[in-house]
């Protein structure tokens, strides 16, 4: 399991309410604090992490959930800086975010 | 002529960029109609090449590579891009220059790709495409600073406007010496997560320093998505779009089809008048009239329908809607074990399974791709339309389903809709079965897809792509289908009946013998020997079955007058046989061209035979059940 964490910020502040993007509702806005990829869809954690990174889910990027599907609110459409990416909640669970006011 | 200039070879340039960066529009703007599409050897990835001449007179050979986010290739498409960039693609000599195309309105991922390309050591030029839209939205890009930070020359481009590529062409002239430069060795290795993260953070830093962007989304895209991606309204609109599309395929194509029909009929009559009906020349006349002209005409008549379907698909794709359709359908398709990205290939399969199967190459996972390839031929392709139309017209009464509120629904249309629905349902059921039986326990790969901003489709790009599709279809009609029609004509006309023969000519032919050979196998499903003869060429191309039935029943000009053949069939077939024939064609073992594409795409003869076998089994079972049930109910 690979964990990358924005350690500097986690140290000085009282732990902000970090949650997984996969469980957030439409309208949620936040900033990516880390990726905690796990094996999914027959792919190893490392590969999931690389795919998320390639689509711009990098620490520090700002995200917003724009839309969700009809069945089980899945998949979700996420604004990542200037791009919109569709993904399933399963994989979005690997993206750790800190809510923005 | 300057001998030196003549000795100078063409500059080889390749376009690389993210999906949706407007790369193909730029390619079209630079090469115009001087482009051709072929395939890379061994794979069905499209290889688009074109020529252009710079203002200084330098000739450039431009290659449009499939879109990618990284050189770390996952799909067959991306493998081609990686191999060409690294110079390891056998069929393509290493390019002298890479033009990295980036969407100026969405630079983040494009900049990371540019940084990754830099590691290959190849000469690179960064082109900021859609620069006009970026400016219109209030983005301020410091291109000089960007060039300095990246260490790459940067030009702006507007692919869709006249003169929008001037800066790019000038930059090409400045790099004209590259053809002589020795090839640098590449230091690129597939990046791990840390590597990608570092590149993206570097790209983000450069972006911060060089681009001032207003903090808002494209207003049009936001408003449209509020409706088109709405959980309920979005799905309803998607269904409406599909309904409109099929309506158009049937209604709009009719006038054009009538013209083509009439043209071939007139041509047949004209040629028939030139040659005598008797003697050795009579055989030639029959060959030209019934074999060549009628055969080609019976297939070309579907060109309008195929083009309309592709027009819709291309327009929706250019508009940016196709990615949304995949988003909306992901969960529904996932229930059947299909990937959300399989939606576009399956939709294309309504026109023809061949482009559908080729479109599966955007699916990364081999298993997900294979599942899509196996079920794509079950979608009702346009080649089945003539078969359906003929049988429905002959056997299903043309009356409303009910009275009053139901009066507007025709029974014939309902049967047609039912056949389409049966095709879709069987595709979903079979993919579910394959997932359970063949790949038990392996979950579907993650669905991740960029939803590009909407933009107005450009007619030039759409028409160019449409023309390329039309050419592919015409080539197919001119080769496989034509040759099959010739074979069928030959089998039904040779040997000629002896003098004073009292039975119909066909009963002396080879086709009669073949038909009787397969008849015992077909009897349980209600097929007679004439159908047996028609089924064989129907495997070369399904639509040929109609023309073959016409030839076998010796109805002159069958293809030109489907109603006449319909009347002949209505007198000779029972309703049960007709229904069984329809059921057979829902699953009809796919045509030879589809099978060869399956072999090429899967890289295995095994999967080709598997797909042939399972469809043949389904077709037989469906026809058997339909025939026996219908007969039991008194329709035999």
């Amino acid at each position: 399991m690979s964990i990358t964490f924005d350690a500097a910020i986690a140290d000085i502040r009282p732990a902000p309410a970090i949650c997984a993007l996969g469980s957030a509702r439409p309208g949620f806005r936040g900033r990516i604090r880390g990726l905690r990829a796990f094996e999914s869809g027959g792919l190893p954690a490392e590969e999931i992490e690389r795919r998320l990174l390639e689509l711009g889910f990098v620490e520090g990027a700002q995200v917003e959930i724009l839309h969700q599907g009809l069945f089980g609110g899945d998949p979700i459409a996420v604004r990542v800086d200037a791009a919109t990416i569709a993904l399933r909640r399963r994989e979005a669970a690997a993206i750790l975010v800190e809510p923005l006011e | 002529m300057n001998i030196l200039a003549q000795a100078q070879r063409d500059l080889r340039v390749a376009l690389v960029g993210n999906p949706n960066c407007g790369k193909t529009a730029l390619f079209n703007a630079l090469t115009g109609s001087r482009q051709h599409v072929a395939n890379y050897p061994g794979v069905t990835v499209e290889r688009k090449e074109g020529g252009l001449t710079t203002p200084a007179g330098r000739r450039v050979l431009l290659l449009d590579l499939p879109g990618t986010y990284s050189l770390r290739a996952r799909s067959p498409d991306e493998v081609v891009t990686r191999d060409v960039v690294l110079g390891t693609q056998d069929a393509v000599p290493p390019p002298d220059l890479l033009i990295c195309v980036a969407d100026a309105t969405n630079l983040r991922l494009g900049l990371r790709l540019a940084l990754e390309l830099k590691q290959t050591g190849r000469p690179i030029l960064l082109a900021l495409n859609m620069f006009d839209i970026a400016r219109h939205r209030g983005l301020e890009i410091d291109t000089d600073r960007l060039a300095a930070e990246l260490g790459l020359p940067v030009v702006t481009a507007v692919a869709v406007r006249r003169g929008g590529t001037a800066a790019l062409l000038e930059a090409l002239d400045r790099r004209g010496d590259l053809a002589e430069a020795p090839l640098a060795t590449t230091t690129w290795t597939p990046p791990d997560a840390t590597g990608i993260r570092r590149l993206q953070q570097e790209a983000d830093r450069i972006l911060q320093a060089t681009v001032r962007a207003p903090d808002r989304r494209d207003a049009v895209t936001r408003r449209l998505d509020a409706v088109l991606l709405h959980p309920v309204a979005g799905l309803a609109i998607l269904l409406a779009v599909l309904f409109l599309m099929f309506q158009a395929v049937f209604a709009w194509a009719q006038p054009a089809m009538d013209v083509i029909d009439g043209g071939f009929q007139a041509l047949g009559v004209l040629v028939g008048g030139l040659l005598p009906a008797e003697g050795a020349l009579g055989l030639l006349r029959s060959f030209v009239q019934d074999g060549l002209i009628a055969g080609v005409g019976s297939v070309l008549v579907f060109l309008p329908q195929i083009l309309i379907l592709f027009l819709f698909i291309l327009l929706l794709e250019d508009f940016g809607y196709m990615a949304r359709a995949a988003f909306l359908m992901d969960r529904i398709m996932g229930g059947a074990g299909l990937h959300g990205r399989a939606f576009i290939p399956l939709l294309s399969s309504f026109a023809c399974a061949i482009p559908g199967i080729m479109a599966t190459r955007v699916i990364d996972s081999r298993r997900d791709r294979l599942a899509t390839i196996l079920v794509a031929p079950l979608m009702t392709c346009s080649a089945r339309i003539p078969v359906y139309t003929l049988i429905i017209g002959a056997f299903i009464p043309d009356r409303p389903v009910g009275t009053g509120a139901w009066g507007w629904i025709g029974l014939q249309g309902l049967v047609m809709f039912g056949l389409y629905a049966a095709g879709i349902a069987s595709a979903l059921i079979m993919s579910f079965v394959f997932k359970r039986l063949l790949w038990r326990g392996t979950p579907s790969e993650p669905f991740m897809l960029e939803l590009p901003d909407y933009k107005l489709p450009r007619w030039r790009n759409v028409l160019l792509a449409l023309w390329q599709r039309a050419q592919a279809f015409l080539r197919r009609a001119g080769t496989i289908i034509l040759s099959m029609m010739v074979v069928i004509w030959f089998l039904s006309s040779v040997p000629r009946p002896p003098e004073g023969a009292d039975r119909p000519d066909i009963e002396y032919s080879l086709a009669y013998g073949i038909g009787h050979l397969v008849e015992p196998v077909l009897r349980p499903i209600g097929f007679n020997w004439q159908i047996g003869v028609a089924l064989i060429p129907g495997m070369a191309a399904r639509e040929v079955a109609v023309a073959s039935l016409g030839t076998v029943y010796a109805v002159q000009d069958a293809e030109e007058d489907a109603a006449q053949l319909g009347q002949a069939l209505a007198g000779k077939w029972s309703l049960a046989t007709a229904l069984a024939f329809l059921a057979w064609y829902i699953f009809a073992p796919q045509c030879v061209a589809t099978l060869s594409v399956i072999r090429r795409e899967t890289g295995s003869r095994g999967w080709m035979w598997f797909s042939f076998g399972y469809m043949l089994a389904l077709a037989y079972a469906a026809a058997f059940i339909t025939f026996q049930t219908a007969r039991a109910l008194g329709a035999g």
Side-chain angles (χ1 to χ4, degrees):
Chain A
M1 186 176 286
S2 72
I3 297 180
T4 314
F5 214 74
D6 208 335
I9 289 175
D11 279 350
I12 24 180
R13 285 199 213 153
I18 285 183
C19 59
L21 186 66
S23 46
R25 303 286 105 211
F28 171 89
R29 294 177 70 228
R31 194 175 289 283
I32 300 180
R33 281 296 166 228
L35 296 185
R36 188 196 50 199
F38 40 83
E39 198 188 311
S40 177
L43 294 176
E46 160 88 6
E47 178 61 23
I48 297 285
E49 185 179 359
R50 278 189 292 201
R51 290 193 184 190
L52 289 171
L53 289 168
E54 276 171 1
L55 288 172
F57 292 102
V58 170
E59 286 78 2
Q62 199 174 315
V63 290
E64 178 182 353
I65 298 189
L66 299 175
H67 306 282
Q68 63 178 16
L70 176 61
F71 306 102
D74 210 19
I76 50 175
V78 183
R79 189 77 179 162
V80 196
D81 282 347
T84 307
I85 308 288
L87 76 169
R88 293 187 191 137
R89 287 190 177 272
R90 236 177 103 77
E91 280 77 43
I95 303 166
L96 302 177
V97 285
E98 173 193 350
L100 288 177
E101 297 314 317
Chain B
M1 196 179 211
N2 187 333
I3 294 167
L4 270 178
Q6 205 178 18
Q8 215 178 25
R9 68 169 169 79
D10 290 0
L11 192 67
R12 288 191 299 257
V13 177
L15 293 180
V16 195
N18 294 157
N20 311 312
C21 69
K23 200 164 47 61
T24 301
L26 192 61
F27 178 78
N28 289 343
L30 286 168
T31 62
S33 51
R34 284 166 299 170
Q35 52 171 279
H36 71 271
V37 186
N39 282 328
Y40 289 95
V43 284
T44 41
V45 176
E46 263 183 11
R47 172 178 171 177
K48 288 178 86 174
E49 255 174 340
L52 67 112
T53 311
T54 63
R58 188 66 208 266
R59 293 211 315 171
V60 174
L61 191 66
L62 193 66
L63 183 66
D64 186 16
L65 292 173
T68 185
Y69 288 104
S70 164
L71 287 183
R72 209 177 57 80
R74 302 185 309 241
S75 62
D77 250 10
E78 296 171 354
V79 168
V80 165
T81 301
R82 181 197 64 198
D83 291 351
V84 171
V85 167
L86 296 180
T88 53
Q89 227 285 337
D90 297 335
V92 180
D96 304 309
L97 173 71
L98 301 174
I99 298 181
C100 177
V101 186
D103 173 358
T105 66
N106 183 11
L107 267 178
R108 202 167 163 248
L109 304 181
L111 282 191
R112 201 208 51 244
L113 181 63
L115 288 172
E116 191 181 341
L117 286 172
K118 236 182 101 178
Q119 297 178 340
T120 65
R122 301 258 177 270
I124 302 170
L125 175 69
L126 177 65
L128 303 181
N129 196 17
M130 307 193 217
F131 200 69
D132 56 333
I133 305 177
R135 192 174 291 159
H136 181 74
R137 287 197 200 154
L139 266 90
E140 287 172 37
I141 304 176
D142 183 348
T143 50
D144 293 335
R145 176 88 191 270
L146 187 60
E149 291 276 359
L150 286 169
L152 298 173
V154 175
V155 294
T156 63
V158 183
V160 295
R161 190 160 303 159
R162 195 177 288 277
T165 56
L168 184 56
L169 290 171
E170 278 167 30
L172 282 181
D173 266 335
R174 284 197 296 275
R175 311 300 301 267
D177 55 324
L178 282 170
E180 283 76 44
L183 207 62
T185 47
T186 170
T187 57
W188 180 86
T189 49
D192 59 3
T194 319
I196 301 169
R197 188 177 267 115
R198 200 178 302 133
L199 279 183
Q200 186 62 65
Q201 280 164 345
E202 170 71 359
D204 284 350
R205 188 191 62 76
I206 295 174
L207 205 61
Q208 196 86 49
T210 56
V211 179
R212 274 233 321 273
D215 188 26
R216 58 163 192 266
R217 284 172 68 203
D218 173 36
V220 175
T221 299
R222 197 186 55 213
R223 277 191 220 126
L224 278 176
D225 271 348
V227 183
L228 296 181
L229 287 187
H230 185 274
V232 181
L235 273 176
I237 292 170
L238 176 60
L239 281 181
V241 167
L242 294 181
F243 182 80
L244 180 73
M245 191 164 101
F246 288 117
Q247 197 62 35
V249 166
F250 285 105
W252 300 357
Q254 204 52 54
M257 292 172 78
D258 290 343
V259 168
I260 295 176
D261 236 21
F264 274 95
Q265 204 168 3
L267 189 65
V269 170
L270 186 74
V271 172
L274 294 177
L275 295 165
E278 302 302 323
L281 278 178
L283 196 63
L284 179 68
R285 178 182 123 147
S286 157
F287 171 69
V288 173
Q289 203 174 6
D290 303 338
L292 284 183
I293 296 175
V296 174
S298 70
V299 176
L300 278 191
V301 78
F302 302 114
L303 186 61
Q305 286 182 332
I306 289 173
L307 288 186
I308 288 176
L309 192 57
F310 273 122
L311 179 67
F312 266 83
I313 290 173
L314 289 167
L315 282 175
L316 291 175
E317 190 129 44
D318 245 31
F319 180 52
Y321 186 69
M322 278 306 195
R324 267 86 182 171
F327 174 85
L328 291 167
M329 292 301 292
D330 177 62
R331 195 62 189 260
I332 297 168
M333 314 251 306
L338 285 166
H339 196 266
R341 284 198 179 187
F343 179 72
I344 298 167
L346 292 183
L347 189 62
S348 308
S349 299
F350 278 117
C352 174
I354 294 167
I357 288 168
M358 281 163 62
T360 62
R361 55 180 192 238
V362 297
I363 303 173
D364 305 330
S365 146
R366 183 171 161 78
R367 267 192 309 272
D368 289 332
R369 248 186 102 216
L370 209 47
T372 312
I373 289 174
L374 287 178
V375 300
L378 290 173
M379 310 303 275
T380 303
C381 68
S382 55
R384 286 178 176 103
I385 294 172
V387 181
Y388 289 172
T389 315
L390 174 73
I391 304 298
I392 289 176
F395 288 92
I396 308 296
D398 186 12
R399 60 169 175 80
V401 173
T403 51
W406 299 106
W408 60 280
I409 303 176
L411 187 59
Q412 290 189 337
L414 190 70
V415 172
M416 192 66 146
F417 179 80
L419 291 167
Y420 268 88
I424 297 168
S426 59
L428 294 180
I429 291 168
M430 287 318 293
S431 74
F432 184 81
V433 170
F434 290 146
K435 280 274 173 174
R436 286 292 170 285
L437 291 184
L438 299 176
W439 306 295
R440 207 173 354 201
T442 43
S444 185
E445 268 210 4
F447 169 75
M448 296 181 196
L449 188 65
E450 186 172 358
L451 305 179
D453 283 345
Y454 293 103
K455 48 182 192 300
L456 273 182
R458 295 284 160 173
W459 280 110
R460 186 187 153 84
N461 293 331
V462 171
L463 291 179
L464 253 173
L466 202 58
W467 170 234
Q468 284 158 1
R469 300 296 191 286
Q471 276 179 313
F473 175 79
L474 292 176
R475 248 197 312 275
R476 187 170 112 85
T479 52
I480 300 173
I481 297 175
L482 176 60
S483 50
M484 278 329 281
M485 283 314 299
V486 171
V487 169
I488 269 299
W489 168 85
F490 179 82
L491 290 178
S492 333
S493 314
V494 173
R496 302 283 278 172
E499 286 296 321
D502 51 352
R503 288 179 296 148
D505 292 2
I506 186 88
E507 297 198 7
Y508 298 93
S509 69
L510 291 171
Y512 185 76
I514 295 170
H516 276 279
L517 207 66
V518 295
E519 201 199 354
V521 184
L522 298 178
R523 202 172 294 130
I525 60 173
F527 288 8
N528 54 27
W529 72 267
Q530 289 94 336
I531 300 179
V533 174
L535 286 183
I536 297 166
M539 284 185 191
R542 293 183 185 90
E543 56 271 51
V544 178
V546 169
S548 305
L549 279 176
T551 310
V552 173
Y553 275 108
V555 179
Q556 278 301 309
D557 301 330
E559 314 66 28
E560 276 77 23
D561 196 351
Q564 202 187 338
L565 176 59
Q567 282 164 15
L569 293 185
K572 292 187 169 92
W573 290 8
S574 69
L575 179 60
T577 294
L579 292 178
F581 193 66
L582 286 179
W584 171 276
Y585 262 93
I586 294 173
F587 303 98
Q590 59 273 53
C591 56
V592 172
T594 305
L595 288 172
S596 74
V597 167
I598 291 178
R599 189 177 61 78
R600 226 169 20 158
E601 276 296 307
T602 59
S604 119
R605 247 169 237 282
W607 284 117
M608 178 186 83
W609 287 116
F610 175 80
S611 116
F612 176 77
Y614 100 80
M615 291 186 74
L616 188 65
L618 280 183
Y620 194 90
F624 180 80
I625 293 168
T626 307
F627 179 69
Q628 299 298 343
T629 310
R631 212 165 49 161
L633 294 173

